[in-house]
Amino acid sequence: MSESEQPTGSIRLLIADDEHLIRGALEALLGLEPDIEVVAGTDNGATAAQLALELRPDVCLLDLEMPRADGIEAAERIMAGVPGARVIIVTRHARPGVLRRALAAKVAGFVPKSTPAGDLADVIRDVAAGKRYIDPEIAAAALVAERCPLTDRELDVLRATRTSSSVQAIADALFLSTGTVRNYLSAAMTKLGASNRHDAAEHAWQQGWI
Amino acid sequence: MSESEQPTGSIRLLIADDEHLIRGALEALLGLEPDIEVVAGTDNGATAAQLALELRPDVCLLDLEMPRADGIEAAERIMAGVPGARVIIVTRHARPGVLRRALAAKVAGFVPKSTPAGDLADVIRDVAAGKRYIDPEIAAAALVAERCPLTDRELDVLRATRTSSSVQAIADALFLSTGTVRNYLSAAMTKLGASNRHDAAEHAWQQGWI
DNA sequence: GGCAACGTGTGACAAATGTCACGGGAGGTC
DNA sequence: GACCTCCCGTGACATTTGTCACACGTTGCC
């Protein structure tokens, strides 16, 4: 593992983003930095985790929204397989609950796509140096965010609400009776102050609870 | 307008994308090309149109999803104000109907964010040279896509459905009676084969009709 | 002029949805 | 053991939603 063709202290980076254009652009952006070397790129979380196990990059830059395994799932797999790995999550929708999930997964960096491009290299350097970087806006939002008042089953039905159209379909998906589903939905709607299940599911999604 | 500090034939480019990270990365990517010069960047459609009128870039690279004016609206304004302007729309969700809208606005290029990063510069060069470039996948999808069977008002209520929770709210937003709204929704749902208005609105959105 | 399509509305009916009250059981804590 | 919360269910009820039939006026086309 002691190649000599790279400058001393060069940061070996893995990039995962399902939008090829973005990934390529990020590679171009970070390739301009003399101390950063992009060693791998992929468009899904599962491959990202696999590549990380093989290549042992110093830092992994993972998009949150990816097929096969989202950024946090990929981060968990990488953490499990590569002790001391450093992961940065990049996301478009910076929902407070997602930050919680990311921090629970021991992610070292969390930046929204609204971050100025010039800052990204610095974040990568900080993270590579062992520091953590959490976008201050998201951190503040997460701190004032309400704790999730919903039970596990209530979260389940809200999750199912996002893909199923009728109560019957939700009940079928969860192997529950329609009455039970309606009770859970009613409870969730009351807790969230929503006037229908779609609003409730949307709210829970915005908070990153589901 | 005859500055001499740039190489002959250099393509003057404007980039608009509301995600700063992406815009910066694209600037880095395209900045690597010797014949492309990024002359402006912004994060919303309204400013993009304004800047285009002032700076008269050769090509405008516009993200579709932007605040204040989406990529196509911005393209229309640019076309109206700058004769011979060339616009490329970049989008994450390549819905068939959106391509229709874009072509109706005389857009010269249409690429999804899944395009390999290396191809983008070539597309820009083609467009600058007067050619058009339409992503073949999207073009094929648009050709087999069904024509929109909905009336203007049906589209209106479906649009409102995406933001309003109840029929009453939709009716209030459109200054209609609830009965009328329900009739339109029922008609739209029948035409689209949807079992509720949210499905219908989702379908219409996927097709790019609203 | 006649006809079709569209926009707008009403009224009635059925189905889906949301609310409420009430059960019972499983699993924890004091 | 008593108590609590969560899970799962039932039944009744009011509200919302979706369907259907029908009506009237406008616009555009043959």
Side-chain angles (χ1 to χ4, degrees):
Chain A
M1 299 297 164
S2 60
E3 296 98 339
S4 53
E5 78 274 22
Q6 41 183 309
T8 313
S10 175
I11 300 169
R12 301 175 67 248
L13 182 72
L14 177 149
I15 302 183
D17 194 314
D18 59 326
E19 291 172 340
H20 293 211
L21 191 56
I22 310 307
R23 196 172 77 238
L26 286 174
E27 284 175 11
L29 176 72
L30 296 169
L32 297 177
E33 306 294 329
D35 56 342
I36 295 178
E37 181 201 8
V38 179
V39 296
T42 180
D43 60 2
N44 70 82
T47 310
Q50 201 179 323
L51 283 173
L53 298 195
E54 290 170 17
L55 299 172
R56 312 250 155 181
D58 299 311
V59 177
C60 300
L61 190 67
L62 307 180
D63 190 16
L64 179 63
E65 296 95 0
M66 278 191 296
R68 296 188 54 199
D70 75 17
I72 295 179
E73 280 180 54
E76 284 166 350
R77 292 191 209 170
I78 293 171
M79 295 299 182
V82 186
R86 317 285 297 164
V87 170
I88 300 173
I89 297 284
V90 182
T91 180
R92 164 183 294 248
H93 305 290
R95 301 173 286 140
V98 169
L99 176 56
R100 273 180 218 285
R101 273 181 64 208
L103 292 180
K106 307 283 187 203
V107 156
F110 196 92
V111 296
K113 285 186 176 174
S114 57
T115 305
D119 296 0
L120 185 60
D122 288 337
V123 172
I124 292 172
R125 286 187 199 100
D126 279 0
V127 166
K131 292 192 242 177
R132 299 185 100 178
Y133 178 85
I134 309 296
D135 177 74
E137 294 290 334
I138 306 177
L143 285 174
V144 302
E146 46 204 316
R147 270 269 289 102
C148 176
L150 304 171
T151 69
D152 287 350
R153 288 310 252 172
E154 285 162 359
L155 291 172
D156 285 343
V157 292
L158 286 184
R159 242 184 301 273
T161 294
R162 288 173 55 81
T163 53
S164 304
S165 57
S166 69
V167 171
Q168 183 64 58
I170 300 170
D172 289 351
L174 299 177
F175 303 104
L176 293 175
S177 80
T178 58
T180 303
V181 170
R182 289 197 289 166
N183 281 342
Y184 286 147
L185 286 174
S186 186
M189 287 159 56
T190 303
K191 287 178 183 174
L192 302 184
S195 62
N196 60 54
R197 62 200 157 144
H198 293 290
D199 276 6
E202 178 62 21
H203 186 264
W205 161 257
Q206 287 294 344
Q207 292 291 332
W209 295 331
I210 57 178
Chain B
M1 299 296 166
S2 60
E3 295 98 340
S4 54
E5 77 274 22
Q6 40 183 309
T8 312
S10 174
I11 300 170
R12 301 176 67 247
L13 184 71
L14 177 151
I15 302 183
D17 193 314
D18 60 326
E19 292 172 340
H20 293 210
L21 193 55
I22 309 306
R23 196 172 78 238
L26 286 174
E27 284 174 10
L29 175 72
L30 296 169
L32 297 177
E33 306 294 329
D35 57 342
I36 295 178
E37 181 202 7
V38 179
V39 295
T42 181
D43 60 3
N44 70 82
T47 309
Q50 200 179 323
L51 284 172
L53 298 195
E54 290 170 16
L55 300 172
R56 312 252 156 178
D58 298 312
V59 177
C60 301
L61 190 67
L62 307 179
D63 189 17
L64 179 64
E65 296 95 3
M66 278 190 297
R68 297 189 51 201
D70 75 15
I72 295 179
E73 280 179 54
E76 284 166 350
R77 292 190 209 171
I78 292 171
M79 295 299 181
V82 186
R86 317 287 298 166
V87 171
I88 301 172
I89 296 285
V90 182
T91 179
R92 163 182 296 246
H93 306 290
R95 302 172 286 139
V98 169
L99 176 55
R100 270 180 219 286
R101 274 181 64 208
L103 293 181
K106 308 285 186 198
V107 156
F110 196 92
V111 296
K113 285 188 176 174
S114 56
T115 305
D119 296 1
L120 185 60
D122 289 336
V123 172
I124 292 172
R125 285 188 201 101
D126 279 0
V127 166
K131 291 192 241 176
R132 300 185 97 178
Y133 178 86
I134 309 296
D135 178 75
E137 295 289 335
I138 306 177
L143 284 174
V144 301
E146 48 205 311
R147 268 269 288 101
C148 175
L150 304 172
T151 69
D152 287 350
R153 290 309 254 170
E154 284 162 1
L155 291 172
D156 285 342
V157 293
L158 287 183
R159 241 185 302 273
T161 294
R162 288 174 55 81
T163 52
S164 304
S165 57
S166 69
V167 170
Q168 183 63 59
I170 299 170
D172 289 352
L174 299 178
F175 303 106
L176 292 174
S177 80
T178 58
T180 303
V181 170
R182 289 196 291 169
N183 282 344
Y184 287 149
L185 286 173
S186 185
M189 288 159 56
T190 302
K191 287 177 182 173
L192 302 183
S195 62
N196 60 55
R197 61 202 153 130
H198 294 290
D199 277 6
E202 177 63 20
H203 187 264
W205 161 258
Q206 287 294 342
Q207 291 292 332
W209 295 332
I210 58 179

